[in-house]
Amino acid sequence: MITSLFFLAILLVGVPIGICLCLAGVVFILNSGSTVLFQSFPLQMFAGVDSYGLIAIPLFILIGEIMNSGGITRRLVDLAMAFIGSVKGGLAYVNILANMMVSSIIGSATAQVAIMSQVMVPEMEKQGYDKTFAAGLTVYGGMLGPIIPPSVMFVVYSVLAQVAVSDMLIAGIIPGILLTLLFFLVIACMGFFYDYPRSEYRTLRQRARTALSASPTLLIPIVIVGSILGGFANPTEAAAVGAVAAALVGRYVTKEFHFGHLPRILLRSAMYSAIVLFLVAAAAVFSWLLIYGKVPQAVAAWIQTVAHDPVTFLLLTNVILLVIGTVIDGIPGLIMTVPILLPIATEVYGIDPRHFGVVAVINLVLGLMSPPVGLSFFVASAVTGAKPGKMFIVTLPFFIISCVALVVLSLFPSLSLGLIK
């Protein structure tokens, strides 16, 4: 109890989550009287990051930085516009489709929202869309980032759950496509009530020329996802090749990336990677102490009095994780909940850990779009100037359909596991 109160107190005053986890561990050891545990503290932190699969995280982050610097994002948007054509509300569809393409490279919801808000919102506003709707739609498009591979959150979950990184990345493909199609459906339904403008008309020749000039940018996701699906490379190797592909495309195809940019790009990638990996190291200590304190067993005993079957457990988990996701970012949310909930899911209810991982990640990402915090809305607001509260209200149908998708994914594990060999 003392440890929990201390953890909540320092979290609420704004102490970074990684430091909160470490300090809470120190308080737990002091409170337990087993000070000999301090000898294992640094060893547990080192063991948490002593994983080959974690090398993929800085590489995926590096790919996103190179892609942004090389103008590849803008060309993927042009490619999406060539596919959609001049239909009513076409730029809204383009927003989601472009986010799906970009998510296959960036893999981070907040980073994707920041990048795509700069690209899509001014263009949609220029064509007559309400800025608040355009920004809110971009936020939900960014939800695809941690779901469609590559995904930093899936890599972190793989390490926490001790499952293959490639399995988790593949498990996100069908859910990501399902969410994209459901977002298309919402746009089509909203089009009956709102007079969305049509996209600028382009002839077939113009669209073909745009697609031809932008298509080399697809080499990056093809290299990453294709090599993993085809069994030619593991996620870490695929990420390394993807980084080289991004640099070559940015330098020799888009001609906007210069090797002189690399020091700045490497520094930004290293800083973000250090934050993520420190969180993983702190999580190792947190998980170790939870097991030592028999917290999972106590939570399991309580949950079994409420949930009597796997479906009920998953629906209850959806509610718990969604609430946690509204106030805590995705990776820290995983770090705090997976060590407690995963053993219950697998050992008590027999749920596949990969299926549970997909449900958990989508829940926590959806929390980024939910009050009272809604971090992704604040990111979009900082870039576009739109009000976060208004964004949530205007795009409420997307939140509802995302919750429906979560229930469907909870009921049908094959949607997550169908592509895994």
Side-chain angles (χ1 to χ4, degrees), residues 2-249:
I2 294 175
T3 304
S4 302
L5 291 174
F6 176 80
F7 176 80
L8 289 174
I10 60 176
L11 182 65
L12 290 173
V13 298
V15 177
I17 185 69
I19 301 207
C20 286
L21 292 168
C22 291
L23 290 178
V26 171
V27 170
F28 177 88
I29 294 173
L30 291 174
N31 189 49
S32 69
S34 302
T35 53
V36 69
L37 294 175
F38 279 121
Q39 297 177 15
S40 298
F41 200 99
L43 297 176
Q44 293 295 331
M45 290 192 74
F46 177 77
V49 292
D50 186 21
S51 171
Y52 175 73
L54 287 176
I55 300 174
I57 290 178
L59 291 172
F60 285 145
I61 293 170
L62 177 61
I63 290 171
E65 291 287 345
I66 293 174
M67 185 194 76
N68 196 33
S69 176
I72 297 170
T73 305
R74 190 171 61 255
R75 282 164 176 79
L76 287 173
V77 173
D78 289 339
L79 185 60
M81 293 182 75
F83 279 126
I84 295 296
S86 56
V87 299
K88 184 178 181 180
L91 206 53
Y93 293 104
V94 167
N95 192 327
I96 298 299
L97 185 60
N99 267 289
M100 186 179 76
M101 292 178 176
V102 173
S103 69
S104 64
I105 303 171
I106 295 181
S108 166
T110 49
Q112 187 164 326
V113 168
I115 292 169
M116 295 302 290
S117 292
Q118 298 174 53
V119 176
M120 291 304 308
V121 176
E123 186 64 29
M124 291 183 72
E125 200 175 0
K126 190 192 308 180
Q127 293 200 19
Y129 289 86
D130 175 65
K131 180 170 71 173
T132 302
F133 170 76
L137 182 65
T138 305
V139 167
Y140 281 97
M143 182 179 173
L144 302 171
I147 301 170
I148 295 177
S151 164
V152 173
M153 284 185 70
F154 276 152
V155 174
V156 172
Y157 176 84
S158 300
V159 173
L160 294 173
Q162 296 296 298
V163 298
V165 176
S166 57
D167 283 356
M168 285 308 308
L169 296 180
I170 293 170
I173 294 175
I174 293 179
I177 294 172
L178 174 64
L179 273 171
T180 302
L181 295 176
L182 289 174
F183 288 163
F184 281 173
L185 178 62
V186 172
I187 293 170
C189 292
M190 291 179 72
F192 284 109
F193 302 98
Y194 300 97
D195 187 24
Y196 291 149
R198 292 182 177 273
S199 300
E200 178 185 351
Y201 178 76
R202 299 187 184 191
T203 64
L204 186 60
R205 177 176 293 183
Q206 287 174 322
R207 281 191 277 168
R209 187 162 51 244
T210 300
L212 188 64
S213 64
S215 57
T217 58
L218 288 177
L219 176 66
I220 304 165
I222 288 172
V223 164
I224 297 171
V225 180
S227 59
I228 295 172
L229 285 176
F232 301 110
N234 61 41
T236 303
E237 294 165 346
V241 176
V244 174
L248 293 176
V249 169

Side-chain angles (χ1 to χ4, degrees), residues 303-316:
I303 286 181
Q304 287 181 77
T305 64
V306 180
H308 303 291
D309 57 77
V311 172
T312 309
F313 168 76
L314 279 176
L315 295 178
L316 177 63

